[in-house]
Every structure is written in structure tokens, then in C-alpha cells.
């Protein structure tokens, strides 16, 4: 009877050892898988960080180009405004204004002729 108990205990110990070995093997595989996932996650994190940095640099470059274009447009608008102000200030007279200017010039010539005539007689 002791022999049977020893056989049962030995068998149970063998089963426990086999199960323990299987569990340790599964834990080892899980640990390896988790380690691989951590490395993959770290690699993806680095790739994502690089892509974010590149997008930030591209966005910064585009914003700088927009600022330059805006400044250039503001300069152009300012120059156009200056030119239009000069054109408005020194615009050519229309037909009615030319008629008035001609009349003023004629009146000035008549007035200066009269003044010159008076000075000659004096």
C-alpha cells in the first residue's frame, strides 16, 4: 500500500513538474511577446515623433511663406495706393475742366495784356 501511495505521489509530482515546466514555458513566451510589443511600441513612438516633427517643420515653413507673401502683398497694396493717390492728385482734367482752365488762361492773358497796356501808357 505504501508502494501504491509512493507511485501516486511520484506520478503527481511528475505531472506537477510537467505542468510547472509548461507554465514556465508559456510565461517565457509571454515575456518574450511582451518585450517584443514594448520594442515595437517604442519604434512606433519614435516614428510618430519623427513624423510629428516633420509636419511641424513643414507647417512652420508654410507659415513663414504665408507671412512673406502677406508682407509682400501689403507692400504692393501700399505702393498701389501711393500711385493711385498721385494719379488722383495730378489727374488729367476732363472736357469740362479743360474748358474752365482754357477760359481762366484766356482771362489771365487778357488781364495781363490790359495791365501791360496800362504800364506802357504811363
Amino acid at each position: 500500500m505504501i508502494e501504491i501511495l509512493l507511485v501516486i505521489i511520484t506520478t503527481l509530482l511528475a505531472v506537477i513538474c510537467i505542468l510547472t515546466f509548461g507554465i514556465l514555458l508559456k510565461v517565457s513566451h509571454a515575456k518574450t511577446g511582451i518585450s517584443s510589443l514594448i520594442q515595437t511600441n517604442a519604434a512606433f513612438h519614435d516614428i510618430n515623433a519623427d513624423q510629428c516633427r516633420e509636419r511641424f517643420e513643414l507647417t512652420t515653413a508654410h507659415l513663414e511663406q504665408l507671412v512673406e507673401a502677406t508682407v509682400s502683398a501689403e507692400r504692393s497694396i501700399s505702393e498701389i495706393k501711393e500711385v493711385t493717390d498721385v494719379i488722383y492728385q495730378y489727374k488729367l482734367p476732363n472736357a469740362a475742366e479743360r474748358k474752365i482752365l482754357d477760359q481762366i488762361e484766356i482771362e489771365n492773358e487778357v488781364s495781363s495784356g490790359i495791365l501791360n497796356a496800362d504800364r506802357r501808357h504811363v
Side-chain angles (χ1 to χ4, degrees):
M1 174 121 167
I2 293 182
E3 292 176 2
I4 296 176
L5 284 173
L6 286 176
V7 170
I8 293 173
I9 291 173
T10 306
T11 307
L12 288 174
L13 284 175
V15 169
I16 290 173
C17 285
I18 292 172
L19 289 175
T20 303
F21 180 74
I23 290 171
L24 289 176
L25 188 62
K26 292 289 184 183
V27 168
S28 174
H29 285 299
K31 181 182 172 191
T32 303
I34 290 171
S35 175
S36 175
L37 285 174
I38 289 171
Q39 290 174 352
T40 303
N41 190 27
F44 282 140
H45 181 269
D46 292 343
I47 290 170
N48 187 32
D50 290 341
Q51 288 175 345
C52 286
R53 193 174 308 109
E54 288 173 8
R55 283 192 301 266
F56 177 76
E57 290 171 359
L58 283 174
T59 302
T60 302
H62 287 131
L63 288 175
E64 288 172 352
Q65 290 174 354
L66 285 172
V67 167
E68 290 173 7
T70 302
V71 168
S72 175
E74 286 176 353
R75 279 192 208 123
S76 296
I77 290 170
S78 176
E79 290 170 0
I80 290 169
K81 185 180 180 313
E82 288 175 13
V83 170
T84 56
D85 288 347
V86 167
I87 290 171
Y88 181 75
Q89 184 177 359
Y90 300 106
K91 68 179 178 149
L92 293 174
N94 60 25
E97 291 170 335
R98 279 196 306 269
K99 198 178 230 187
I100 293 171
L101 290 173
D102 289 342
Q103 185 63 37
I104 292 171
E105 190 174 333
I106 292 170
E107 289 175 2
N108 285 342
E109 285 180 14
V110 169
S111 295
S112 65
I114 292 172
L115 288 174
N116 286 336
D118 286 342
R119 287 184 191 156
R120 285 183 195 163
H121 290 291
V122 175

